[in-house]
């Protein structure tokens, strides 16, 4: 048994040999015969698994699941992509259908431009948005073409309107610099930038935007939504236009600072030449403006502009547009501004001309306008240099006061204008034309103009003695001289030369305040004059340009003057002007005889009076100093035979000056300006005259000799204050003339003023009383 079973394992019942009936070896077939043995079944034993078997199976399950998900997502994705592509294609086609021809997209300005020419016909200023004319990508200087592409979109000729690589790079830069993904660098292609310049095809609607300026600001905004909208528009442009056509639109519509729209306007603005003719360094400087026009404009900072141009030259060299030798040559010869752009003169003058020109042809013009002006750039530069010389070279750098200068000819043509000093916080306020300031003693010539017109002589006498005038509601008003002293009886010439206050008041009261007001108004000064006797001392306000124009009226022989800077205005391309000069000589105010007499008196201001510091060595000059109450304003206005110059100094906040009077710093500036602008000019004498007086005191015995009432228009004015009675002041014993109103308290009436015979006698008595008696 043992041998028979060795190696077979344990004895077990082998079902292979068991019949269906349980008999051993029995047959299950019919008839009970022996059956064929059944196939043996494997013995079930425990399964043996390797350690890696379970993770492998799990990975297979995960991969299968991922493949299933991928199949679902892919199905969704390609369907969504197809739908998106169809939508994008539809939007692109829509924009494509809306895009006009290239020529219709060239000039994209919201308004027109104003180009100003000086009296020699040279351009000195631009306002509005200038457009120099259409250029094309093929017609501009090749270096300019290449500089723009190298700087703004080096893959311009490879992409189809958008550059994913450029956008990704921009996002990376923005995030690295602490900005949001789409704030700062946008990664825009030239096509996208052009799309933005075209406002993505959205037209201006006055119902949506208040102005075209607001419309432009809105369509220039950035942000992710704007970027998304740019994509189909840029692609539509790529379908509609060639690359060179897109670049042509861009070159004509890009803003390049200083009001220049397009590269042709910028080339003319900065270099005085066409964009077709710019050099390599000039092309690099123009292309560099695209990054930040206001920052890199050469008129703002030539050093910043050159530094940016060097970056552009480096990019051109890296991309193969320039050889190393060409790049080095461009760096060695940096671009320079044209003479007109470099002078940067006449800014205040240009602003004034814009203000005095009808707005529809200036600030709001939709046309390109050419304005011929009276500006002399040489005189303008000399006036600016004179002001800087006095403040900088005369150790007055610490003085923070402002100053203004106006230079004009006798007909009112303004040759130069300085509206303020270039100091911190100066702003662009034009102190020559916009600042209303008290005139002080510069008003006195118009008091004496009334006297000369009334028949007085420069040699007539007036009392420089204490004076009090009673005014209703204010009581006694007693003017004082600047030196607090009195000189007794002096000539009118001396009174003006030394700027004596009391004589000026006496003369004003004698000829009549209304007459003084009328003459000052006719000469062009402001009409809101003070009503009281202080009128004679310049308590009213005026601008420097109006005061200078009034003095021009004295120089030209007594006719009014309207200061002007515009000589002619034309539309670009037209030969005939729409209109001519906006000012000039007007109606006569005083006679030539009176003007010459007054001119003589004003020459003595420089020869022997308060304006000695303004005296010129080589020619005659006349003028008047002025210092207002509390020294808040200091003036000197005067003229030679060729020019009238006005100078004002003061603080914008109206605080008092320290140690400055009209005969000091303003007179020095005036002289410096006059010396410079008259250099090389032949000396021409002033027209002066000392006429004999037609005023003779009344002869008590005959009542003859007084000025006829008709010769003094003031006394024919029904609105003139009535000089009715004279009272004796109980304190001083002085005679006090009383106008409309009550007399001083305790005053005793001396009696009605009467010279002995009708109106002529009354007038003679008034003049005699107020002037202090005598001839």
């Amino acid at each position: 048994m043992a041998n028979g079973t060795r190696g077979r394992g344990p004895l077990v019942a082998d079902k292979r040999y068991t019949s269906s009936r349980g008999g051993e070896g029995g047959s299950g077939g019919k008839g009970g015969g022996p059956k064929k043995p059944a196939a043996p079944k494997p013995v079930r034993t425990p399964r043996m698994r390797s350690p890696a078997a379970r993770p492998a199976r799990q990975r297979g399950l995960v991969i299968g699941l991922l493949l299933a998900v991928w199949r679902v997502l892919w199905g969704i994705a390609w369907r969504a992509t197809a739908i998106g592509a169809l939508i994008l294609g539809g939007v692109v086609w829509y924009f494509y259908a809306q895009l006009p021809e290239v020529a219709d997209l060239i000039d994209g300005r919201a308004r027109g431009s104003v180009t100003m020419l000086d009296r020699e016909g040279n351009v000195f200023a631009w306002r509005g948005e200038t457009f120099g004319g259409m250029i094309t990508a093929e017609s501009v200087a090749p270096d300019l073409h290449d500089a723009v592409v190298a700087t703004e979109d080096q893959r311009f000729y490879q992409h189809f309107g958008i550059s994913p690589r450029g956008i990704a790079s921009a996002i990376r830069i923005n995030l690295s610099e602490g900005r949001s993904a789409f704030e700062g660098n946008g990664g825009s292609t030239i096509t996208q930038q052009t799309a933005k310049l075209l406002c993505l095809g959205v037209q201006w609607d006055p119902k949506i935007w208040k102005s075209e300026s607001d419309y432009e600001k809105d369509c220039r905004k950035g942000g992710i939504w704007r970027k998304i909208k740019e994509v189909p528009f840029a692609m539509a442009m790529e379908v509609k236009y060639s690359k060179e056509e897109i670049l042509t639109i861009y070159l004509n519509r890009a803003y390049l600072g200083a009001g220049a729209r397009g590269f042709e306007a910028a080339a003319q603005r900065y270099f005085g030449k066409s964009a077709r003719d710019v050099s390599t360094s000039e092309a690099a400087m123009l292309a560099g403006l695209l990054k930040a026009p206001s920052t890199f404009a050469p008129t703002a900072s030539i050093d910043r502009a050159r530094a940016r141009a060097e970056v552009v030259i480096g990019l051109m060299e890296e991309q193969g547009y320039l050889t190393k030798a060409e790049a080095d040559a461009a760096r060695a010869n940096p671009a320079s501004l044209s003479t007109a752009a470099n002078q940067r003169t006449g800014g205040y003058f240009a602003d004034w001309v814009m203000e005095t020109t009808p707005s529809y042809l200036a600030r709001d013009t939709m046309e390109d306008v050419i304005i011929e002006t009276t500006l002399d750039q040489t005189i303008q530069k000399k006036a600016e240099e004179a002001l800087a010389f006095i403040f900088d070279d005369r150790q007055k750098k610490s003085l923070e006061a402002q100053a203004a200068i106006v230079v004009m000819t006798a007909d009112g043509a303004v040759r130069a204008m300085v509206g303020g000093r270039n100091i911190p916080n100066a702003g662009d306020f034009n102190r020559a034309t916009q600042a209303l300031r008290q005139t002080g003693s510069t008003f006195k010539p118009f008091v004496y103009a009334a006297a000369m017109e009334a028949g007085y002589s420069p040699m007539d006498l007036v009392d420089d003695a204490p004076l009090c005038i009673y005014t209703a509601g204010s009581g006694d008003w007693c003017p004082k001289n600047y030196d607090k002293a009195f000189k007794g009886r002096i000539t009118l010439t001396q009174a003006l030369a030394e700027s004596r206050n009391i004589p000026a008041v006496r003369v004003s009261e004698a000829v009549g305040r209304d007459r003084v007001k009328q003459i000052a108004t006719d000469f062009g000064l402001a009409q809101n004059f003070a009503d009281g006797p202080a009128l004679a001392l310049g308590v009213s306000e005026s601008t420097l340009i109006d005061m200078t124009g009034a003095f021009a009226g004295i120089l030209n022989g007594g006719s009014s003057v309207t200061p002007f800077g515009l000589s002619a205005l034309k539309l670009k391309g037209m030969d005939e002007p729409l209109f001519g000069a906006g000012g000039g000589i007007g109606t006569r105010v005083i006679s030539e005889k009176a003007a010459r007499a007054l001119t003589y008196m004003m020459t003595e201001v420089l020869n022997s009076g308060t304006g000695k510091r303004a005296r010129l060595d080589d020619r005659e000059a006349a003028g008047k100093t002025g210092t207002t109450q509390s020294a808040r304003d200091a003036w000197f206005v005067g003229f030679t035979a060729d020019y009238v110059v006005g100078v004002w100094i003061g603080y914008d906040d109206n605080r008092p000056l320290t140690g400055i009077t009209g005969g000091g710093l303003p007179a020095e500036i005036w002289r410096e300006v006059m010396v410079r602008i008259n250099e090389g000019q032949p000396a021409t004498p002033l027209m002066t005259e000392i006429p004999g007086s037609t005023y003779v005191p009344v002869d008590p015995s005959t009542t003859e000799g007084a000025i006829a009432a008709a010769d003094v228009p003031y006394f024919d004015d029904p609105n003139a204050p009535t000089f009715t009675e004279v009272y004796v002041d109980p304190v001083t014993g002085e005679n006090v003339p009383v106008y409309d109103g009550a007399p001083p308290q305790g005053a005793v009436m001396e009696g009605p003023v009467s010279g002995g015979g009708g109106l002529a006698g009354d007038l003679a008595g008034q003049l005699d009383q107020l002037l202090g008696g005598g001839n």
Side-chain angles (χ1 to χ4, degrees), residues 97 495 542:
S542 183

Side-chain angles (χ1 to χ4, degrees), residues 682-725:
T684 303
L686 291 169
M687 300 297 290
T688 60
E689 184 178 346
I690 308 177
S693 177
T694 60
Y695 170 71
V696 179
V698 175
D699 185 333
S701 61
T702 64
T703 68
E704 294 178 355
I707 290 178
D711 294 335
V712 187
Y714 161 72
F715 288 96
D716 293 332
D717 190 337
N719 297 319
T722 303
F723 184 92
T724 54
E725 297 171 313

Side-chain angles (χ1 to χ4, degrees), residues 135-145 251 263-264 275-277:
I135 53 171
T136 67
E138 293 86 357
S139 65
V140 297
D143 282 339
L144 179 56
H145 176 287
L251 293 173
F263 280 85
E264 179 67 8
R276 298 172 176 86
D277 304 319

Side-chain angles (χ1 to χ4, degrees), residues 344-391:
R344 289 174 290 179
T345 58
Y348 286 111
F349 177 90
D351 290 342
W352 171 63
V353 170
M354 291 288 286
E355 292 167 5
T356 54
T357 301
S359 61
Y360 66 90
L361 289 171
R363 298 180 297 278
D364 303 323
T365 180
M366 300 303 293
E367 304 285 345
D368 288 325
V369 174
I370 307 295
I371 297 181
E372 299 173 1
T373 74
T374 61
L375 183 74
D376 187 314
Q377 291 198 68
T378 300
I379 293 178
Q380 175 71 36
K381 187 175 182 180
K382 288 180 177 180
E384 293 172 354
E385 291 173 346
L387 182 65
F389 172 76
I390 293 298
F391 275 95

Side-chain angles (χ1 to χ4, degrees), residues 512-524 527 529 535 589 713 717:
R513 295 177 213 158
D514 281 4
R515 182 56 180 156
V516 173
K517 291 179 184 179
Q518 188 62 56
I519 284 179
T521 298
D522 291 346
F523 270 125
Q527 299 183 32
F529 296 110
L535 165 74
V589 180
D717 190 337

